[in-house]
Amino acid sequence: MDHMEYVLSILPFIASGLKLTAKIYIATLIFALPVGLLAAIGKVKGPKIITKILYLYTWIWRGTPLLLQLFFMFYGLPIIGIRLSPFAAATITYTLNSGAYLTEIFRGGIESIDKGQYEAAKALGMTYSQTMRRIIIPQTVRRVLPPTCSEAVNLVKETALLAVIGMPDLLRIATQIFTRDFNITPFIVAFVLYLIISSVLVRLFSTLEKKYSIYE
Amino acid sequence: MTMIRMSNIHKYFGKLHVLKGVSLEVNKGEIISIIGPSGSGKSTLLRCMNQLEKIDQGIVEIEGIVVEAAGDKEGKVVATPQEVRTAYRKMGMVFQSFNLFPHMTALGNVIEAPMLVNKAAKDDALKIAEKQLAKVGLLEKKDAFPSKLSGGQKQRVAIARALAMNPDIMLFDEPTSALDPELIGEVLSVIKNLAQEHMTMLIVTHEMGFAKEISDRVIFMDDGKILEDSNPIDFFDSPRHPRIKTFLEKML
């Protein structure tokens, strides 16, 4: 069997792994972005009890290994009687982990906006929520795009930890084919696929950056 | 008619006593320059009028409505939050550092508050905005972002933005202090035009010639107190207080 044919023959398996990776990745982003934004606003402006809880949240989730967090969700929760589907457990873990990083990214972005912007908005009669929605957040978005991009790329690679807890993601499938055929081609295919996804993301973010920098 | 009445205002920044019992009445149509050495509390006084700083003691009234009361006067605010908001909306403010919204064009800056705060329809807001931008001589720059404007142009857009809310009172906090000398004139002439329309104005400024020319009253602040409150001719030509004499000699 020549090389190209071999690659084609394993593609359907690889595609199933890629699909799971993509599903968890997209679900995580959909949930983690609002979690990060709301938690960031809570940290900047919330009542003391809220800022304390959020501080605890980012401290724990940024301060411990993601793999350990996955272990707790997969093997720890069932012990106390909480049973989640593997997909739900994975999505929740990745969301909370990524959300913690995004919280700090967004908080830094919000705090980098000059206080004169709040004062001008207040002097014009805007409420705090109007000020955030129309004045502060749009400027924050522009500033946090670069660090958000690197978090989004990190997350792609972090999904590979799913393989360790036995979920059939891209890397896990590649590993299975490798063990079956004792051929490293599946690893090369996975390698290329991860690289393509990351590159597309970087491309996407630089387009966004250009779009948002028209006013600079 | 009394537009603003401030009674015995005290303000602290931490341990620093910035305003030490300032009282001031502003009548309709009056143009008041507030001058004095830096750190004397001029800007803070202005910022206490529209809640950018909270007062620690005293009463602030706008057009007869008590909008803020603190210290032993606490609880004197009887107006509803809605009435207080409406009262504050009668004041427009212009800042030393312009504080334009950088992500919006000149026009976007001016239509924003009328649409968001006053719920004006877009067509109406555009009409108001174009009128105000024309008034400050910048209609042809309406689609420019602030980053593409000179300091003087930015400040004129900021004035148009404040005027678009149709204020009864305009507060200017050192409007020309951040400008290159050759750009000061264009901003001052916009303010002079407003004076001719009898807008009630309070202007914190270091431009002595301008203050003398435009003001009905000059207030001199020193060390958190109003040291002098008089007409510009007496103030500049025959200052009574030695502290003011020294200040003027340094400035002129």
Side-chain angles (χ1 to χ4, degrees):
Chain A
M1 208 164 43
D2 86 356
H3 199 74
M4 208 51 224
E5 261 177 58
Y6 178 73
V7 169
L8 286 175
S9 75
I10 61 168
L11 267 187
F13 304 108
I14 295 277
S16 76
L18 183 62
K19 202 172 147 197
L20 179 73
T21 295
K23 269 163 87 178
I24 291 196
Y25 181 78
I26 290 166
T28 301
L29 271 193
I30 288 173
F31 292 119
L33 286 168
V35 164
L37 184 60
L38 291 175
I41 293 173
K43 256 195 164 177
V44 172
K45 179 75 178 180
K48 202 152 197 180
I49 176 81
I50 299 286
T51 58
K52 276 200 173 142
I53 292 171
L54 290 171
Y55 175 82
L56 207 65
Y57 162 56
T58 53
W59 176 58
I60 291 173
W61 285 83
R62 297 200 312 158
T64 54
L66 175 56
L67 186 55
L68 190 54
Q69 295 164 5
L70 284 165
F71 283 159
F72 271 114
M73 283 289 188
F74 274 76
Y75 311 123
L77 286 186
I79 293 172
I80 56 166
I82 300 172
R83 287 184 188 282
L84 299 170
S85 71
F87 183 82
T91 305
I92 291 171
T93 315
Y94 279 108
T95 296
L96 289 173
N97 180 281
S98 217
Y101 284 96
L102 291 173
T103 300
E104 289 306 312
I105 290 173
F106 295 162
R107 183 186 60 78
I110 291 171
E111 286 178 346
S112 76
I113 306 295
D114 185 68
K115 77 175 188 357
Q117 295 287 304
Y118 292 90
E119 293 184 348
K122 190 170 182 185
L124 287 165
M126 293 184 202
T127 62
Y128 182 75
S129 72
Q130 288 172 334
T131 305
M132 290 309 277
R133 191 161 48 80
R134 296 287 306 165
I135 309 301
I136 306 301
I137 303 293
Q139 294 182 59
T140 304
V141 168
R142 164 69 190 89
R143 293 198 190 174
V144 301
L145 277 175
T148 305
C149 175
S150 75
E151 174 58 23
V153 171
N154 268 340
L155 183 61
V156 174
K157 295 171 288 174
E158 282 168 347
T159 57
L161 288 177
L162 291 169
V164 184
I165 49 165
M167 284 185 80
D169 77 324
L170 177 55
L171 180 60
R172 172 92 174 167
I173 297 284
T175 314
Q176 281 171 346
I177 301 169
F178 165 78
T179 341
R180 187 191 69 189
D181 300 345
F182 207 68
N183 182 328
I184 65 152
T185 306
F187 285 147
I188 297 171
V189 174
F191 181 96
V192 172
L193 285 173
Y194 281 118
L195 203 55
I196 290 173
I197 300 172
S198 310
S199 312
V200 168
L201 279 170
V202 171
R203 242 330 202 334
L204 188 76
F205 271 92
S206 60
T207 313
L208 281 176
E209 262 182 66
K210 278 208 193 83
K211 184 176 162 257
Y212 274 95
S213 17
I214 45 160
Y215 62 79
E216 279 173 356
Chain B
M1 185 185 173
T2 306
M3 304 296 273
I4 302 175
R5 178 180 288 126
M6 301 186 87
S7 317
N8 192 28
I9 305 294
H10 286 262
K11 172 70 189 169
Y12 293 83
F13 289 130
K15 279 186 181 155
L16 197 65
H17 198 172
V18 195
L19 294 179
K20 302 174 176 171
V22 174
S23 296
L24 174 67
E25 270 186 36
V26 181
N27 298 311
K28 192 170 169 54
E30 264 187 325
I31 297 161
I32 302 178
S33 295
I34 305 173
I35 63 181
S38 58
S40 58
K42 314 181 292 289
S43 290
T44 307
L45 178 65
L46 210 61
R47 292 163 60 83
C48 282
M49 292 178 190
N50 70 348
Q51 232 186 6
L52 289 182
E53 303 292 352
K54 285 188 79 67
I55 58 172
D56 292 308
Q57 160 73 43
I59 295 185
V60 182
E61 280 172 68
I62 300 167
E63 299 187 19
I65 294 176
V66 176
V67 289
E68 202 183 356
D72 61 11
K73 299 287 185 287
E74 211 176 321
K76 294 273 184 190
V77 179
V78 288
T80 64
Q82 183 57 44
E83 287 170 323
V84 169
R85 264 200 301 279
T86 311
Y88 277 123
R89 234 174 265 168
K90 294 180 177 165
M91 275 185 294
M93 184 156 191
V94 172
F95 301 86
Q96 179 178 358
S97 49
F98 327 127
N99 296 343
L100 287 183
F101 305 132
H103 58 305
M104 297 174 179
T105 61
L107 190 68
N109 267 275
V110 184
I111 63 171
E112 185 63 21
M115 287 178 65
L116 195 64
V117 179
N118 290 349
K119 312 288 177 211
K122 185 154 190 184
D123 285 349
D124 298 336
L126 283 171
K127 258 182 230 146
I128 300 169
E130 289 184 350
K131 189 181 128 204
Q132 296 302 344
L133 282 174
K135 200 165 162 183
V136 299
L138 285 174
L139 189 55
E140 79 281 10
K141 293 281 184 192
K142 67 179 171 140
D143 295 320
F145 283 97
S147 59
K148 297 280 181 285
L149 299 174
S150 72
Q153 291 171 333
K154 280 184 204 169
Q155 195 59 299
R156 283 148 66 199
V157 171
I159 293 172
R161 178 175 69 175
L163 291 175
M165 291 299 279
N166 196 25
D168 294 342
I169 307 157
M170 282 287 282
L171 310 177
F172 291 89
D173 188 6
E174 304 200 23
T176 60
S177 296
L179 295 177
D180 291 334
E182 76 271 21
L183 301 178
I184 291 176
E186 61 188 75
V187 172
L188 294 186
S189 82
V190 166
I191 301 175
K192 279 180 205 162
N193 288 341
L194 279 179
Q196 272 152 21
E197 295 171 17
H198 304 292
M199 171 70 79
T200 309
M201 297 197 277
L202 284 114
I203 309 164
V204 173
T205 185
H206 294 292
E207 297 291 324
M208 294 303 138
F210 172 72
K212 185 174 176 181
E213 180 189 338
I214 196 176
S215 316
D216 301 312
R217 272 163 74 189
V218 177
I219 286 174
F220 184 88
M221 287 195 68
D222 189 33
D223 193 27
K225 286 182 212 138
I226 292 178
L227 210 61
E228 176 79 67
D229 180 349
S230 67
N231 70 70
I233 297 163
D234 289 348
F235 181 87
F236 286 103
D237 297 344
S238 45
R240 281 176 295 178
H241 212 285
R243 187 75 191 83
I244 299 175
K245 266 186 205 146
T246 352
F247 177 79
L248 289 177
E249 274 159 19
K250 264 190 232 154
M251 293 301 288
L252 297 172

